[in-house]
Amino acid sequence: MLEFFFYKQPWKAVFITYHFITTLTIRVPLWLVFSFLPFTRLHPTWTFKRDFLVRFLKHYLHVASGCGGFRFIPMPTHLALVEGLNVKGLWVTPTPQLIVGDVKRWAEKANVEPIRIPGYWMEQEGSNREIGEAPRPGEKVVYHIHGGGYATHSAHPTNPTANIPRGIMKHSEAVMRTFSIEYRTSSGPPFQEITNPFPAALLDAIAGYNYLINVVKFKPEDIIVEGDSAGGNLALALVRYLVENQSQTESPNVTIPPPPGELLLFSPWCDIGDSDVRPDTTIYTNRSYDFINLLSKGAHRSKVNFLGPLGMEGANSNRYISPASTAPTMEPFSFKGFPRTFIAGGGAEVLIDQIRQLKNKMVADLGEGQVEYFEASGAIHDYLVLVWLEPERSETLRRVASWIAPH
């Protein structure tokens, strides 16, 4: 891998080597000083440790974006089932018979079809159950849909986003297993033509949900669909599809599974359009705190690749893509029929304005008792992935466990 990195991509090697040296010799010493002094920290409530780690994370992601990404160990994708110690994975069968209505039309327009994809199981520590073992009476399962801007990260248990289902199981006795789907991420110029645009990931999420219902035999009410960041966007799209298409199939012998019993959304990316891209919103005002920057070229590239032929016009009008949008072109829609939902966001993240907008829309349609909202003041985007962001991470997971427990 190193030989490929330095000999096949010499420009990238030079770029990364330069940043590695300057980070160690210049940036780290400066960060230590800035993080040590309370009045020079990025956020007034942050500790020395948090300030330093956020600075490091922001710079790392900036460098990675600047050279098209880099990893010494390849990240698992939908193309292969990646095995490993205590890794329990399987191939999930595609479900073309379940794709109907608008989603089918959008798939045909984008030239994407259902395909088989990997899925991975995780269990509570100390457990060792068979892959796809039938549920025990009353057992709940978390269907984890990872984040990553529809461009990166993985469902594999070694991926950092697996910290979320692992954290849920640690704090909640009601959840003994989680299942994650390796949905297709989008890519495109300047490295290749656009591949896997919307709704490719949604087709995969539908297949994973069908696997839990019709293969493993979980009852819909015992499934908790959970998504973080772009995974939250996909979780919302999946539930919307299940709610809207209960009576629509192209075969009398095929039925679309009912929606899940519960929905968990962590820092959901719920407006991929630009209705909240204004100087007075947190897209701008929280940029100095957060490690993601939706105004960057990399973020724009991810949007373009994901939207495909629908383009920004689709992002500002499609209920599956931007359910928190306030754009005047957004089609009418409702959250009626959605399950009880828990939403969490960080007060210092760039997405918090659109997350609040999503919460308000869901409460208006479902009622206060069906939507629980928690905002961790001073926390950044997708903070449940970051095991060092305490005490907010553990407090959120305890709230989630309490929210799950009575049901």
Side-chain angles (χ1 to χ4, degrees):
M1 184 64 189
L2 288 174
E3 179 181 355
F4 173 83
F5 189 73
F6 285 101
Y7 291 98
K8 301 296 185 181
Q9 303 184 50
W11 67 270
K12 184 182 286 191
V14 170
F15 180 84
I16 293 171
T17 301
Y18 164 77
H19 278 282
F20 178 77
I21 293 172
T22 56
T23 296
L24 286 181
T25 58
I26 300 175
R27 290 186 175 86
V28 166
L30 287 174
W31 294 341
L32 288 170
V33 173
F34 291 148
S35 298
F36 179 76
L37 300 172
F39 60 87
T40 56
R41 291 173 188 163
L42 295 173
H43 194 280
T45 67
W46 287 0
T47 62
F48 164 80
K49 177 182 177 181
R50 181 177 301 187
D51 190 84
F52 179 81
L53 290 175
V54 170
R55 288 177 187 272
F56 183 88
L57 181 60
K58 283 165 66 77
H59 183 65
Y60 169 83
L61 294 176
H62 170 73
V63 174
S65 176
C67 65
F70 63 87
R71 288 178 62 88
F72 292 105
I73 301 174
M75 182 179 293
T77 70
H78 70 280
L79 297 174
L81 186 66
V82 180
E83 299 178 344
L85 183 64
N86 298 323
V87 173
K88 296 182 177 181
L90 76 158
W91 286 103
V92 175
T93 303
T95 54
Q97 74 279 7
L98 298 182
I99 309 305
V100 297
D102 286 340
V103 172
K104 182 176 182 178
R105 177 170 55 83
W106 295 325
E108 291 172 347
K109 183 176 182 178
N111 195 29
V112 295
E113 298 179 347
I115 63 170
R116 74 168 191 165
I117 36 154
Y120 298 96
W121 285 94
M122 290 174 55
E123 304 166 295
Q124 282 190 352
E125 189 172 349
S127 178
N128 186 24
R129 297 171 67 174
E130 295 293 326
I131 295 176
E133 179 183 308
R136 297 168 183 173
E139 178 187 354
K140 288 185 176 290
V141 65
V142 166
Y143 181 27
H144 170 62
I145 305 176
H146 72 82
Y150 283 114
T152 186
H153 285 305
S154 165
H156 198 270
T158 59
N159 191 267
T161 59
N163 288 335
I164 293 179
R166 196 174 285 119
I168 292 173
M169 287 189 290
K170 180 179 178 181
H171 287 79
S172 176
E173 295 181 358
V175 179
M176 295 182 285
R177 288 186 292 175
T178 67
F179 179 71
S180 305
I181 199 72
E182 193 72 275
Y183 65 83
R184 284 168 282 182
T185 53
S186 305
S187 57
F191 309 107
Q192 61 187 81
E193 295 297 316
I194 290 179
T195 58
N196 306 322
F198 175 86
L202 178 55
L203 305 185
D204 300 338
I206 293 168
Y209 188 80
N210 178 73
Y211 163 73
L212 290 175
I213 294 281
N214 290 315
V215 178
V216 187
K217 303 299 184 182
F218 271 99
K219 297 178 181 178
E221 59 267 29
D222 291 330
I223 297 177
I224 305 168
V225 171
E226 173 267 308
D228 66 289
S229 192
N233 183 281
L234 183 50
L236 283 161
L238 169 63
V239 174
R240 176 164 299 283
Y241 183 81
L242 298 171
V243 168
E244 290 185 350
N245 294 284
Q246 280 302 290
S247 60
Q248 296 187 37
T249 57
E250 297 183 355
S251 169
N253 299 320
V254 176
T255 58
I256 291 177
E262 291 157 321
L263 176 62
L264 282 172
L265 303 171
F266 301 124
S267 294
W269 190 18
C270 40
D271 184 2
I272 298 182
D274 55 13
S275 72
D276 68 339
V277 182
R278 303 187 312 272
D280 62 332
T281 68
T282 53
I283 293 287
Y284 279 86
T285 59
N286 281 357
R287 258 192 313 170
S288 61
Y289 312 139
D290 214 343
F291 66 89
I292 64 169
N293 178 7
L294 292 187
L295 303 175
S296 69
K297 291 181 180 179
H300 176 73
R301 185 167 60 237
S302 295
K303 283 187 178 184
V304 169
N305 294 342
F306 170 69
L307 294 171
L310 292 182
M312 191 55 68
E313 180 181 349
N316 287 322
S317 61
N318 191 304
R319 65 196 184 281
Y320 280 79
I321 295 174
S322 299
S325 175
T326 58
T329 53
M330 177 55 61
E331 60 187 343
F333 67 92
S334 171
F335 287 99
K336 295 289 186 183
F338 270 59
R340 60 190 298 266
T341 301
F342 185 104
I343 306 172
E349 69 170 293
V350 296
L351 297 184
I352 195 62
D353 273 351
Q354 58 179 255
I355 294 170
R356 293 166 182 162
Q357 179 66 23
L358 174 73
K359 181 262 294 185
N360 292 338
K361 284 190 172 188
M362 296 191 78
V363 168
D365 289 340
L366 299 176
E368 289 278 358
Q370 287 295 99
V371 181
E372 181 156 339
Y373 178 73
F374 176 67
E375 187 171 306
S377 176
I380 55 177
H381 178 66
D382 221 358
Y383 63 95
L384 290 187
V385 172
L386 309 173
V387 294
W388 44 267
L389 210 153
E390 293 290 358
E392 293 92 333
R393 182 176 184 271
S394 290
E395 181 181 358
T396 304
L397 290 170
R398 284 193 295 268
R399 286 174 177 263
V400 169
S402 177
W403 179 80
I404 293 172
H407 301 270

